[in-house]
Amino acid sequence: MPTPRQVYVAVIGVGGVGKAFLSQLQALKTRLAKARQPICLDLILVSRSSKTLFSESFRPLSLETWEQDLAASKQPVLDNEMLVEYLATAPEKVVLVDNTSSLAIAENYPRFLRKGVSIVTPNKKGFSDSYNLWQDMFAAASNGSGEGGYLFHESTVGAGLPVLSTLKELVETGDEVTKIEGVFSGTMSFLFNSFMPVAGGGGQFSAEVKKAKELGYTEPDPRDDLNGLDVARKLTILARLAGLPIESPTSFPVQSLIPRELETCQSGDEFLEKLPNFDSDMEALKKEAASEGKVVRFVGSIDVASKKVEVGLQKFDASHPIAALKGSDNIINFYTKRYGSNPLIIQGAGAGGDVTAMGVTGDLIKVLNRL
């Protein structure tokens, strides 16, 4: 049997996505060890904001007991500078898996990449921040114009759905993408599918927001979903991949569903308490749409030709694919020259630890195939 190739994995962020990823990593490690061209995939670092566990000698950490080992660790938390240095001194190739939503870590991606460290991540912050950072990252990456590590971020849009890889393939094979539109937030999908179902009915808007929070569909503070910025970040990433140099997620119209009077609430709980006072506005919108035989949905759209990007509420006929979504599913429609008037549609679960981690694991496999 051939000698296994050694690749190291460092994982930052062990919340819902991080835990699911580490479980998938264990299965992948077992499978790759038995492959025709075996790879020895070893975990050398795992960290959360207040704790770090790393192997100073680059001997593998246990994927079975990492949680207890991390909890018991007395090692110092490595800052970004120390982390870059530690990973750059590894005797074999390293893949950094960033499961955080930290911009501070993302701003350091170019440094990691230039040191030969590859990165896979669901962290949207760096890819949707300034256009300068976007350019710096891909100028350093081997799958950009640089010679550093590889950089993949499939699950920054649509969790485990193949949204970015599909768009890249359309662009790279010479198709002309004219328009992208869809429901890009599992939270907003769930919220509007229950606020205004196609069959009619649905609860008051504030009650549906409260229910979505209780079921774990929203951020701990629902305002982080209702301000539209999460969708704006995803649209920024897609627009850039489609060739538009969008400066930031705040450089185009984004409709916030937070009533102006509630923008100064001190907490998410205070916001939820006062939201019912503003139900009449959303109720009027629902009635107006129903009278036209339509439903209201929270969508993002990119018109590539006119370079117009926007996020907000739109009305759709009940027969439209966007209207017919179920639960917290995402739907992304690509209108292109090749596909003509019928868009290429990608639809499915767009949120959740397991499916997001699947996108991250898929990206890790892409890196392993290229190393």
Side-chain angles (χ1 to χ4, degrees):
M1 190 157 175
T3 310
R5 274 192 303 137
Q6 175 76 64
V7 179
Y8 296 121
V9 178
V11 179
I12 322 176
V14 289
V17 175
K19 273 188 186 156
F21 169 76
L22 281 157
S23 157
Q24 291 176 23
L25 179 66
Q26 197 170 353
L28 181 65
K29 177 184 167 76
T30 306
R31 205 167 69 246
L32 291 178
K34 298 172 185 164
R36 199 162 53 85
Q37 293 183 311
I39 296 174
C40 186
L41 201 56
D42 285 331
L43 180 70
I44 54 164
L45 176 142
V46 60
S47 83
R48 53 163 52 100
S49 54
S50 56
K51 284 266 187 187
T52 298
L53 174 69
F54 63 97
S55 167
E56 290 178 46
S57 60
F58 298 101
R59 290 175 67 79
L61 302 175
S62 166
L63 278 164
E64 279 85 18
T65 61
W66 70 264
E67 223 167 327
Q68 304 92 291
D69 298 343
L70 176 61
S73 172
K74 299 279 191 287
Q75 288 178 302
V77 173
L78 304 179
D79 62 25
N80 286 320
E81 187 85 30
M82 291 153 79
L83 186 60
V84 171
E85 285 318 305
Y86 166 69
L87 298 181
T89 56
E92 300 292 345
K93 295 288 188 189
V94 180
V95 184
L96 172 64
V97 182
D98 173 19
N99 294 312
T100 73
S101 56
S102 159
L103 178 58
I105 293 169
E107 284 173 333
N108 280 279
Y109 287 175
R111 295 177 60 210
F112 285 108
L113 292 162
R114 281 195 288 270
K115 294 274 189 181
V117 175
S118 294
I119 297 169
V120 299
T121 181
N123 181 354
K124 291 183 282 286
K125 295 281 172 69
F127 300 93
S128 58
D129 200 64
S130 75
Y131 191 60
N132 252 353
L133 178 58
W134 168 275
Q135 287 178 305
D136 284 353
M137 290 192 292
F138 287 102
S142 270
N143 52 324
S145 52
E147 294 174 0
Y150 291 94
L151 176 64
F152 288 102
H153 58 109
E154 183 70 68
S155 38
T156 54
V157 180
L161 298 174
V163 178
L164 301 190
S165 48
T166 300
L167 176 56
K168 280 179 187 167
E169 198 155 294
L170 290 169
V171 172
E172 285 167 8
T173 58
D175 198 356
E176 194 181 309
V177 179
T178 53
K179 186 180 178 187
I180 303 168
E181 72 168 359
V183 173
F184 294 90
S185 159
T187 306
M188 293 304 214
S189 180
F190 178 82
L191 189 51
F192 280 90
N193 293 340
S194 51
F195 168 65
M196 193 174 186
V198 172
Q204 295 275 341
F205 188 69
S206 60
E208 296 302 345
V209 172
K210 194 163 181 279
K211 182 169 89 181
K213 181 180 188 289
E214 284 162 2
L215 290 169
Y217 282 113
T218 72
E219 294 292 331
D221 184 339
R223 289 175 296 178
D224 292 338
D225 294 296
L226 296 176
N227 64 15
L229 194 59
D230 176 63
V231 175
R233 287 191 180 284
K234 293 169 185 174
L235 269 273
T236 301
I237 294 168
L238 286 168
R240 287 172 176 176
L241 287 173
L244 301 182
I246 300 295
E247 184 43 49
S248 76
T250 53
S251 62
F252 51 85
V254 178
Q255 183 179 359
S256 170
L257 301 185
I258 301 170
R260 189 162 285 136
E261 298 87 336
L262 300 187
E263 282 173 357
T264 53
C265 285
Q266 294 303 299
S267 68
D269 290 341
E270 185 195 340
F271 168 74
L272 283 175
E273 200 181 300
K274 294 179 174 173
L275 190 58
N277 301 330
F278 299 87
D279 275 337
S280 56
D281 296 349
M282 292 300 283
E283 213 50 40
L285 193 64
K286 187 197 271 193
K287 275 199 181 116
E288 182 189 297
S291 71
E292 298 170 26
K294 297 185 174 186
V295 295
V296 178
R297 296 292 182 259
F298 193 84
V299 299
S301 65
I302 301 165
D303 188 309
V304 181
S306 64
K307 300 182 180 174
K308 193 175 166 196
V309 183
E310 56 187 339
V311 172
L313 294 172
Q314 282 186 37
K315 291 183 258 183
F316 293 91
D317 289 324
S319 60
H320 195 286
I322 283 178
L325 271 189
K326 299 279 187 290
S328 61
D329 276 8
N330 282 188
I331 185 169
I332 296 94
N333 300 335
F334 291 111
Y335 292 87
T336 81
K337 206 166 182 181
R338 283 186 197 138
Y339 280 86
S341 55
N342 290 328
L344 165 59
I345 299 175
I346 295 174
Q347 182 179 339
D354 284 336
V355 289
T356 305
M358 181 187 82
V360 178
T361 304
D363 278 348
L364 173 59
I365 292 167
K366 285 176 200 163
V367 173
L368 296 175
N369 288 338
R370 286 163 173 78
L371 283 177

